[in-house]
Amino acid sequence: DPRHAAAELLAVDGETLLAAVADRLAVDRGASPWLESWRAAERTARGVLDDLLDGWEEPFEGRVARDLVDALPDGATLLVASSMPVRDVESFARAREHLRLLANRGVNGIDGFVSTTLGVAATSRGLGPVVALLGDLCLLHDANGLLGAAERGVDATFVVLDNDGGGIFSFLPQADLPEHFELLFGTPHGVDLGALAALHGLPAERVEKASALVPAVERATAAGGVRLVIVPTDRVTNVARHRAAWDAVAAALDH
């Protein structure tokens, strides 16, 4: 409440409170035309998106999010980084149960994500695999979190979307100013993420095809330890495919 505008503050556990409210409001109102219209729209959008994603064999960040959420076993934990990963999970992943989703926020939204993932892994032994979906800058922002990770006895797989920069900014108007964009917003790093992993004694696998993602993640989680699965993508192509997806959904819903 940064503006101190709240009339009443409740110091309670959020999950317990919301569960109690849901119980009090649990009334079977039956189906309605309004509700069914939303469900029909969701079915249409889901079908259009899946058809598009299945047809793109070059890695696309939206498909990575969908396929990763689909593939993780019940009881797994998926940590989702800020910026585009969390947006892509929301936009492209299918709804499912029995998957714990976690995220953290910092001053810049990507602070300490590697360390958070390893901390979750350290407290989740025996509870299912721990996998993180993050961008390259997020990894680099907390690369020191990998220090000593190979000797900590934890199991965590990092699925890293490597588009050599800040992909989310390519969706914004400043992307049309190429003379300044790369320096100020794209911020290409030129780092070999596989070599970064090797520096810390961590195995890394590079995925060149969309269909190869799930097998690579399954190999990593089965092998145990801290491992990287690196998925190279192109920022310009990524924006074009996002827009193609939205246009396809809009066209389908118009009919």
Side-chain angles (χ1 to χ4, degrees), residues 138-195:
C138 183
L139 174 70
L140 293 172
H141 201 274
D142 190 28
N144 282 347
L146 296 175
L147 187 64
E151 290 80 39
R152 297 189 187 279
V154 299
D155 301 324
T157 297
F158 291 87
V159 179
V160 187
L161 299 162
D162 183 9
N163 54 36
D164 195 28
I168 192 170
F169 297 109
S170 295
F171 290 83
L172 303 180
Q174 53 263 46
D176 295 327
L177 302 172
E179 66 273 23
H180 303 298
F181 178 78
E182 283 298 293
L183 174 64
L184 299 177
F185 296 98
T187 60
H189 51 79
V191 175
D192 182 338
L193 301 184

Side-chain angles (χ1 to χ4, degrees), residues 33 35-51 249 252-253:
L35 176 60
E36 182 52 37
S37 71
W38 279 102
R39 288 174 172 169
E42 169 64 17
R43 289 191 294 269
T44 298
R46 181 77 266 163
V48 169
L49 287 177
D50 287 339
D51 286 345
V249 169
L253 293 177

Side-chain angles (χ1 to χ4, degrees), residues 68-81 89 96-104 113 116-134 155-159 217 221:
L68 185 59
V69 170
D70 275 353
L72 292 178
D74 289 352
T77 297
L78 176 62
L79 290 97
V80 187
V89 167
R96 59 162 294 182
E97 297 179 342
H98 310 300
L99 176 66
R100 182 170 65 153
L101 287 162
L102 300 177
N104 68 343
F113 184 82
T116 296
T117 300
L118 296 177
V120 170
T123 59
S124 301
R125 291 182 177 91
L127 300 179
V130 173
V131 178
L133 177 63
L134 66 160
D155 301 324
T157 297
F158 291 87
V159 179
V217 172
T221 56

